[in-house]
Amino acid sequence: MPPHAHLDGPALRALVSGGHPAFVPSPCADPADKPRDRIWELAETLHCSIVGTCLTNAEARAILAKLGRPDARTITEHRLHGEIVQIAGRKDGGGRLLQKALDRRHEREIERFAEARTADAVRALWRASVERGEIPGAYWAAITHPATDWPLVQDVFGEVHMLSHLVGQSNRADIRRLRQLEADLAERDERIASLEGRVVDLMEQRDGLSARNRVIAAEQALSRIAVTEPAESVRESVKSLTAHLERARAHAEALEEKVAVLVHATGKLSADLEAEAARRRAVEAELAAVEAVLAAANEPIDADPSPYRADRNDALAERTLLYVGGRPRQVAQLRRFVEARGGRLLSHDGGIEENMSLLPGLVGRSDLVLFPVECVSHEAIGMVKRACETNGKPFRPVRSASLASFVHAIAPAAICASVS
């Protein structure tokens, strides 16, 4: 059950807008007389999807820069997203800047939705935008529209939430693309090397041209003075030499600009290469962890048929893990994996249907808490970290919700002894 689903219609509308049920306008009020909702007035559960769907990383970094953050240009995308989600709920802590950025970016869609006077009209405009694939602007305009009611908020949020799950649904695609990524990285290495060589060539050409122009100018001036040219002829020569020097300077400046462009392109390619290399290292580490588990599963054992034996000294034996977030089908697969090694896996969906107040108790019963950073809410992560600090329990973020990422995350302490 979604948070606050037990409230009635007016109370839900007030909660989504950040207000109190006592201040909800009557259903007969004309939406044209009401202002659009501000982002800090919306329920916190909507902030993550709004920031992730309607705002670009460049705009998010610009907001942090305006707030005086020195690491605005270097912060990771995951931390950048979390920072902006926190800002969304603070009117005077950056919420106004975020509101202006979203309104400016999606001005055309806001004007189109402004023609709607009822929730059904807003819903029709939303459906038309979805069919055209124009999701970000329509999502922002629909969520903040004064005629939008709670059922429409649930439907629109639900569609965007499910669309987000289509991105990176399985690590199998990552494994299939690993070889292609290696080929792409090699090609990028060649391109970077070629660009660096080109930069060096252009700089040498510029330096050579400047030196050659200075020598030519000096030789011509000395030659004309040596033959005692008339004063008028000397002035013409100086004028011609000056014009030639200006052209040479202009050419040198053009070369410097081209060098600067190539240096910037090289830096961007280097950053992209490093990001791809980090991703490849993560995937390779996860594959190595899975291969270690498969190798251990293929080792012969004696006639005892039980899936778990105490004398195997499995590092998961008698240990209780807590997994927060993830997808139900994959959580069941992780539970079978842990139980087959003598352990126990508790789980919590991170507040989608299960009550968030259950998390501290589950943390207290666990030896280790894990959560997939791509498939868990920011609210759940914050509560898990606080509960772990209170109970003195270790926690570990997991790169994705896949079995490979899970195995890699628990490998340092939980792979059975036969693997070591």
Side-chain angles (χ1 to χ4, degrees):
M1 179 181 296
H4 318 301
H6 60 281
L7 300 178
D8 58 12
L12 285 171
R13 176 61 184 168
L15 182 59
V16 172
S17 64
H20 189 279
F23 300 100
V24 178
S26 67
C28 298
D30 185 359
D33 299 329
K34 297 186 298 181
R36 291 174 48 247
D37 290 333
R38 310 296 179 86
I39 192 165
W40 58 83
E41 297 170 345
L42 300 176
E44 292 183 358
T45 52
L46 297 174
H47 292 166
C48 179
S49 65
I50 290 174
V51 172
T53 303
C54 306
L55 194 71
T56 66
N57 285 337
E59 291 168 332
R61 292 185 188 279
I63 290 174
L64 286 187
K66 289 180 180 178
L67 293 174
R69 283 288 297 270
D71 59 345
R73 303 301 176 189
T74 59
I75 189 173
T76 65
E77 293 183 358
H78 181 255
R79 287 188 55 204
L80 172 67
H81 176 77
E83 293 285 346
I84 298 300
V85 169
Q86 293 296 322
I87 287 172
R90 302 195 297 263
K91 176 181 178 181
D92 296 324
R96 294 177 184 271
L97 289 176
L98 180 56
Q99 179 79 23
K100 290 180 181 179
L102 289 168
D103 286 347
R104 182 169 57 250
R105 178 173 179 78
H106 304 298
E107 180 179 5
R108 185 176 62 84
E109 288 297 313
I110 292 173
E111 292 177 355
R112 190 165 68 88
F113 274 68
E115 300 174 2
R117 292 293 181 268
T118 65
D120 288 339
V122 175
R123 186 186 299 273
L125 290 172
W126 165 252
R127 295 308 314 160
S129 298
V130 171
E131 292 175 1
R132 293 195 303 270
E134 300 173 355
I135 302 298
Y139 185 46
W140 175 242
I143 285 291
T144 58
H145 196 284
T148 298
D149 55 15
W150 178 246
L152 179 54
V153 169
Q154 289 180 306
D155 292 345
V156 173
F157 172 81
E159 288 190 65
V160 172
H161 180 73
M162 294 310 299
L163 285 173
S164 68
H165 286 317
L166 296 178
V167 181
Q169 273 196 351
S170 174
N171 269 357
R172 295 180 181 176
D174 290 337
I175 296 172
R176 288 195 299 268
R177 289 166 45 206
L178 182 57
R179 299 306 177 192
Q180 182 61 43
L181 283 175
E182 292 175 347
D184 292 344
L185 288 174
E187 182 181 348
R188 289 192 180 187
D189 287 341
E190 293 178 359
R191 289 174 58 194
I192 290 174
S194 176
L195 283 173
E196 290 176 346
R198 181 59 178 161
V199 168
V200 172
D201 291 342
L202 288 173
M203 293 177 69
E204 290 177 351
Q205 291 179 22
R206 180 197 62 185
D207 295 341
L209 181 61
S210 297
R212 189 164 54 252
N213 286 336
R214 287 193 297 269
V215 171
I216 292 174
E219 290 177 348
Q220 290 178 345
L222 289 174
S223 175
R224 287 179 179 141
I225 292 174
V227 298
T228 320
E229 291 183 347
E232 184 64 28
S233 177
V234 171
R235 282 194 294 271
E236 290 297 325
S237 297
V238 171
K239 184 177 179 181
S240 175
L241 288 172
T242 301
H244 182 74
L245 179 60
E246 290 299 325
R247 289 194 297 269
R249 285 176 178 171
H251 183 63
E253 290 175 357
L255 286 176
E256 289 176 353
E257 291 178 359
K258 182 178 269 189
V259 168
V261 170
L262 290 175
V263 168
H264 179 269
T266 301
K268 186 176 185 305
L269 284 173
S270 297
D272 292 343
L273 176 62
E274 180 61 28
E276 292 293 347
R279 180 180 178 82
R280 182 177 67 176
R281 288 193 295 270
V283 173
E284 288 175 344
E286 292 173 2
L287 287 174
V290 172
E291 288 173 356
V293 172
L294 293 176
N298 290 329
E299 288 185 359
I301 59 175
D302 57 25
D304 188 346
S306 60
Y308 167 73
R309 299 181 338 177
D311 61 356
R312 288 185 64 184
N313 191 26
D314 198 320
L316 281 178
E318 306 301 329
R319 298 196 68 190
T320 300
L321 308 182
L322 172 60
Y323 192 77
V324 181
R327 304 180 181 91
R329 215 173 342 176
Q330 290 172 319
V331 171
Q333 184 183 27
L334 303 182
R335 180 174 288 107
R336 290 193 298 271
F337 176 85
V338 173
E339 290 176 351
R341 285 154 181 79
R344 183 185 180 197
L345 182 68
L346 306 176
S347 64
H348 190 285
D349 66 6
I352 297 176
E353 294 185 359
E354 296 176 321
N355 197 314
M356 295 286 285
S357 63
L358 298 175
L359 272 175
L362 292 172
V363 170
R365 295 163 52 193
S366 306
D367 298 311
L368 175 64
V369 182
L370 305 103
F371 51 87
V373 296
E374 69 168 14
C375 194
V376 66
S377 69
H378 300 285
E379 182 183 3
I381 291 176
M383 182 170 288
V384 164
K385 291 181 177 180
R386 290 192 296 272
C388 286
E389 291 175 359
T390 301
N391 291 275
K393 302 290 185 177
F395 64 87
R396 186 169 298 154
V398 183
R399 188 181 73 89
S400 72
S402 68
L403 174 60
S405 293
F406 179 82
V407 172
H408 178 254
I410 67 173
I415 296 299
C416 60
S418 60
V419 178
S420 59

